[in-house]
Amino acid sequence: MPPGSAKIEPERIADRLSALPGLERVREAAGETPVYLVGGAVRDLLLGRERTDLDIAVEGDAAALGRRLGGEIRTHERFATATVHLDGGELDLATARSETYSRPGSLPEVRSASLADDLARRDFTVNAMAIPLAGEPELIDPHGGLADLEGETLRVLHERSFVDDPTRALRAARYAARYGFALDAQTEKLLRRADLDTVSSERVQAELRKLAREPRARRGFELLDDWGLMTLGDGARELIDSVSDVVASEPWASVVPRDDAVLAAALGRDLDPARRLASIEPAAPSEAVELARGHDGVTLALARALGAEWLDRYVSEWRDVRLDIDGDDLLAAGIPEGPAIGRGLSAAMRARLDGEAADAAEELRIALDAARDAGSE
Ligand code: ATP
């Protein structure tokens, strides 16, 4: 669904809920324990967007419920959560909890709590709604999430939200880019003051990587730049788009993860070597291999995005070329162990790449000539 065309139909909750995989089993296994669909799963259900993972809050022991469900399960006792694969879907079960932050940006102290507390700890109103799985489906919406969903607005639940957890500012860019939502004015004021230095760089990187995975990643990074949370370098915007195109097609799709490439483009990482590669037009395949070898996939993809078309053939062909001979053949032909062997094989490889050695016999002749020249130096 393109941004700006949200069609919220609360009256269709029951229909849509019954179409989601695994929920009937959760309801049965839960018995008297109250369980709720929560968070992104409710937001996307209201928006009519499909998703593969469903978040379930449990007013009780989520791991125990997970075990009762059967299926493939991963539990994290420390966080009282369990991930269960069931009926083709992924269920994330979590014990309803409250979170308190002892200082800005610290990891929260977590206590099991009521659903109301669990919703109150969330990032934006559109993510702070729940639907009980037992009884008549109804929307539990204590923070006005439905109205904000209809108004295409991201709004924090309280003034200290970005102080407690500044990574929420990065999450805002992700949702704003994905859904085309705008920040509520007060939320924007608070967000602009978010101090990402109070959280670990690992957490910041993890959120940025999630943003890089979004189809509209460029928009998300532009928003972060607009909001003063990061600075996009010259050409970064176009590079995010062009490197996304590069890694969407073969031969690149199978060698470079899109999020790595997009993140590097946004942050200006690996740009110098990429620019160097893009400024050269190698005269022969052997020269191309010489230049490209040793650079990782992301640098190569950035260079391709900057115009190095010759890298297509490097990635799909040249870098996989192997000789029919090896060092043993040179030893057997009387070349002594030492650097001459390496020189001989390199010469044979250059010839092979450049179409000057058609078979093993020619490779060997070229390798021996080069090894003997090297030996006589
Ligand atoms: P996606 O649609 O990309 O899967 P999501 O909305 O499901 O994203 P998750 O990161 O999977 O988001 O988190 C699930 C829910 O947990 C969110 O919808 C939100 O309610 C809550 N949440 C996650 N991270 C935070 C945070 N840093 N602060 C507050 N609430 C959070």
Side-chain angles (χ1 to χ4, degrees), residues 2 38 127 133 143 150 152 253 283 330 336 338 373:
V38 285
N127 288 341
L133 294 188
H143 304 283
E150 282 165 342
E152 308 193 329
L330 301 197
D373 281 355

Side-chain angles (χ1 to χ4, degrees), residues 39-40 43-44 51 53 55 121-123 127 165 167-168 171 174-175 178 210:
R43 179 197 67 222
D44 287 345
R51 57 184 291 140
D53 61 316
D55 303 323
R121 73 174 170 84
R122 291 176 184 262
D123 47 4
N127 288 341
D165 181 357
T167 65
R168 290 171 183 161
R171 299 173 61 81
R174 178 151 64 95
Y175 296 124
R178 188 192 301 168
K210 284 195 202 166

Side-chain angles (χ1 to χ4, degrees), residues 3 154 171-183 219-220 223 227:
L154 292 171
R171 299 173 61 81
R174 178 151 64 95
Y175 296 124
R178 188 192 301 168
Y179 301 110
F181 287 3
L183 296 177
R219 176 72 187 135
L223 287 169
W227 296 338

